[in-house]
Amino acid sequence: MGTASYQDRIVTAFTACAMFWAVLGMLAGVYVAAELVWPTINFGQPALSFGRVRTLHTTLVLFGFGVSALIGTAFYSVQRTSHVRLFAPGLAWFVFYAWQLAIVLGGCSILAGWNSGKEYAELEWPFDLAIAVAWVAFAIVFFGTIARRRMESIYISNWFYGALIIVVAMLHIVNSLAMPATLGKSYSLFAGAQDAVVQWWYGHNAVGFLLTGGFLGMLYYFLPKHAEQPIWSYRLSIVSFWAFVYTYIWAGPHHLHYHAIPEWVQSLGMVMSLILLAPSWATMVNGIMTVSAASQKLRTDPALKFIVLSLAFYGLATFEGPMLAIKSVNVFSHFTEWTIGHVHSGALGWNALITFGTFYFLVPRLAGVPLYSARLANVHFWLALAGVMLYVLAMWGAGVSQGVLWLSLDELGEVRFSFNDVMAAMKPYYLLRFVAGLVFLVGAMLMAVNLARTFAGRRTIEVAPPGSRVGAGGRT
Amino acid sequence: MTLVLFIGDMLIMAFMIAIVVWLSLRSTRAVLDAAARIPLEDEDRDG
């Protein structure tokens, strides 16, 4: 290996694991979607019950797929935008093994019934400690690389990845503060409404800084790289970054409208959510304008198609979120499937598609060969689009139906429809959601095969910072 | 207590916004253009 070449083996390892967790996590999601249509398929086994498999699904797709993709792409882009190799490569490999081990053992613990009861933070305290250690190691490698950079400017993608690292560390540590009772059970240090506020400060900012900020880091590096165009307005990207950081941290209380928390906190959460529309759409416009300069490439390149489609869903989800945060809308939408549809228009439409587009670009570059099948990638594109559209439409239909039925009162002011009536009305929507998830999963499986075949034909390639000398031999 | 937290946070935000405005005004067009081109000129591929 040339001493100056970038360290990309770790990027390959994270990418491979991210694809593995994507398929497994989405499979778990399709299974729980099927359980809502055919409840008996849990076969009376606690490990296959909805509560456990649904938690496994969110853990695998968020932390297995999403975070593995984020760490891998952060390691790839921070070296290049700093013109240096990774700082402390041994520590970077520690991050890889620690993170994957935490996902494997954490997933098993969820199926065994260990659960802290905090949404998107269900793993119990031993895993919380392990995650904190791995995350700090990630921070050391990332910021150490930036500290050694040979460039004057810190590129915008690194600001987003940096915000992801700092804020998620803060959220995870504070929200996980707990008193262990046994190895598999702990109790939060916060109680009642305070616990709810801390939980949704964590929950919404995990959405903000992990699923939005982190993936914007991915977008700001890989979109210009792939479009072979600089970002349309660099100044706009900086302004939208800071506006995003300032406002997002306040938006969490919109999850607790009409709950036992101060009224002004709820209203502030709503107002900050509405303000968030400005930086979100500024980013979307910046991305679309960057792509518009490479419109010829868009016609033939499946990776770029995924990235553009992800921007459209980013715009949609970041419009829908602030609307759902308006208190008068929230009366109707809260606790309905509309929220699930909103989450998935972001998670599938934005996070998964931007990652798919990035991987279709990244893996051929890591392997030093063209993509195994562009045709298969195009099939995947249409399956992904069909899957996410069907999913979102099914959940919108289900959510609006639930909202109407729940708020429907009879002449005595009593609710007109029972729980069973509402559940019976959900069956066609739940069936459609299962089909949508299956279509999306099949697309992801095709992608995994396509990328594996691409990597199987890899050849030796050295990639180094511009102007540096590369030694002979070896794979990077 | 909540009021103290709220006012404190708003003051911090005002301070950070001032830093961003200062940094934005400080950056010249040439510096921003050079920064925007970083991903386009960051690899020397061999093989």
Side-chain angles (χ1 to χ4, degrees):
Chain A
M1 183 186 296
T3 52
S5 58
Y6 293 129
Q7 287 144 321
D8 286 344
R9 277 184 58 202
I10 189 152
V11 179
T12 305
F14 269 113
T15 305
C17 286
M19 272 318 299
F20 174 75
W21 293 125
V23 171
L24 202 62
M26 288 174 197
L27 184 65
V30 171
Y31 191 79
V32 286
E35 283 189 340
L36 288 174
V37 184
W38 304 285
T40 55
I41 63 168
N42 65 22
F43 307 111
Q45 298 298 314
L48 293 178
S49 61
F50 181 87
R52 294 191 190 180
V53 183
R54 187 262 179 185
T55 307
L56 181 73
H57 161 63
T58 54
T59 301
L60 294 188
V61 292
L62 275 175
F63 303 114
F65 169 50
V67 173
S68 293
L70 286 172
I71 299 177
T73 54
F75 283 167
Y76 183 88
S77 60
V78 74
Q79 296 182 78
R80 284 159 172 78
T81 52
S82 302
H83 285 199
V84 290
R85 288 156 61 84
L86 277 183
F87 174 73
L91 197 60
W93 280 105
F94 166 77
V95 175
F96 171 76
Y97 287 115
W99 194 263
Q100 303 310 323
L101 193 64
I103 300 298
V104 171
L105 297 180
C108 293
S109 77
I110 287 168
L111 289 182
W114 292 18
N115 193 318
S116 70
K118 284 174 171 268
E119 194 168 12
Y120 308 133
E122 289 92 348
L123 293 176
E124 270 295 351
W125 68 272
F127 299 103
D128 289 339
L129 287 175
I131 287 170
V133 171
W135 200 260
V136 170
F138 173 33
I140 292 170
V141 175
F142 183 83
F143 290 114
T145 307
I146 288 180
R148 293 198 314 172
R149 73 187 185 282
R150 285 165 40 200
M151 312 291 292
E152 189 186 347
S153 301
I154 299 174
Y155 184 63
I156 186 67
S157 63
N158 292 326
W159 288 91
F160 277 101
Y161 281 123
L164 157 79
I165 293 168
I166 292 169
V167 176
V168 168
M170 178 177 74
L171 299 171
H172 172 72
I173 290 168
V174 173
N175 191 47
S176 301
L177 290 174
M179 183 62 72
T182 65
L183 186 66
K185 188 62 207 163
S186 63
Y187 295 93
S188 174
L189 287 194
F190 310 102
Q194 285 178 339
D195 190 38
V197 171
V198 172
Q199 161 60 25
W200 285 110
W201 170 75
Y202 162 87
H204 196 74
N205 287 301
V207 173
F209 286 86
L210 199 155
L211 296 178
T212 308
F215 285 87
L216 286 177
M218 193 187 279
L219 175 83
Y220 273 120
Y221 180 77
F222 286 97
L223 174 61
K225 188 91 182 161
H226 197 28
E228 296 173 329
Q229 295 287 332
I231 200 77
W232 178 64
S233 170
Y234 196 77
R235 195 183 291 271
L236 184 61
S237 71
I238 297 171
V239 172
S240 58
F241 168 79
W242 288 105
F244 164 84
V245 169
Y246 296 153
T247 43
Y248 226 114
I249 210 85
W250 279 99
H254 71 219
H255 287 263
L256 297 167
H257 281 337
Y258 305 107
H259 286 59
I261 65 168
E263 179 80 24
W264 70 269
V265 176
Q266 299 176 34
S267 298
L268 194 66
M270 178 182 83
V271 171
M272 289 298 185
S273 303
L274 287 167
I275 294 172
L276 261 176
L277 192 56
S280 302
W281 276 38
T283 302
M284 181 187 66
V285 168
N286 216 351
I288 296 286
M289 294 305 286
T290 305
V291 176
S292 68
S295 53
Q296 286 297 325
K297 202 172 183 182
L298 185 59
R299 292 181 188 168
T300 54
D301 193 317
L304 207 53
K305 283 185 198 171
F306 273 103
I307 293 176
V308 171
L309 186 61
S310 75
L311 274 170
F313 274 101
Y314 175 74
L316 176 71
T318 53
F319 174 77
E320 189 182 28
M323 295 307 114
L324 291 173
I326 297 171
K327 289 175 84 174
S328 50
V329 177
N330 205 260
V331 166
F332 185 85
S333 69
H334 205 122
F335 297 126
T336 72
E337 301 285 354
W338 189 353
T339 307
I340 317 301
H342 167 61
V343 169
H344 282 80
S345 76
L348 299 179
W350 158 238
N351 300 123
L353 294 190
I354 181 82
T355 308
F356 293 163
T358 297
F359 282 6
Y360 275 126
F361 171 75
L362 181 63
V363 170
R365 290 178 81 84
L366 291 171
V369 291
L371 185 66
Y372 171 70
S373 171
R375 193 176 171 194
L376 210 55
N378 277 317
V379 172
H380 177 204
F381 174 80
W382 291 110
L383 286 174
L385 178 58
V388 67
M389 285 306 297
L390 281 176
Y391 194 109
V392 169
L393 289 173
M395 292 299 96
W396 279 343
V400 171
S401 301
Q402 284 175 326
V404 169
L405 295 174
W406 286 345
L407 293 176
S408 178
L409 304 178
D410 62 18
E411 57 279 4
L412 298 174
E414 301 284 338
V415 288
R416 191 182 296 274
F417 299 100
S418 69
F419 176 79
N420 284 344
D421 293 334
V422 180
M423 284 306 291
M426 290 300 106
K427 194 148 188 178
Y429 300 116
Y430 286 177
L431 186 60
L432 187 56
R433 186 241 303 266
F434 164 71
V435 172
L438 195 60
V439 169
F440 200 86
L441 172 65
V442 169
M445 291 167 90
L446 289 181
M447 179 186 178
V449 171
N450 203 355
L451 295 187
R453 296 297 297 265
T454 303
F455 200 72
R458 69 191 180 278
R459 61 187 178 85
T460 302
I461 182 166
E462 294 279 1
V463 186
S468 63
R469 195 167 64 84
V470 181
R475 178 175 305 285
T476 55
Chain B
M1 184 62 185
T2 50
L3 202 60
V4 171
L5 285 174
F6 178 64
I7 292 170
D9 203 88
M10 288 297 153
L11 286 172
I12 292 168
M13 284 173 69
F15 171 70
M16 292 174 78
I17 288 168
I19 288 179
V20 173
V21 170
W22 175 64
L23 284 173
S24 301
L25 292 175
R26 209 171 135 253
S27 297
T28 62
R29 178 94 195 178
V31 170
L32 290 173
D33 287 347
R37 293 199 65 80
I38 287 175
L40 308 180
E41 297 157 357
D42 62 359
E43 288 181 328
D44 194 351
R45 296 178 75 84
D46 179 27

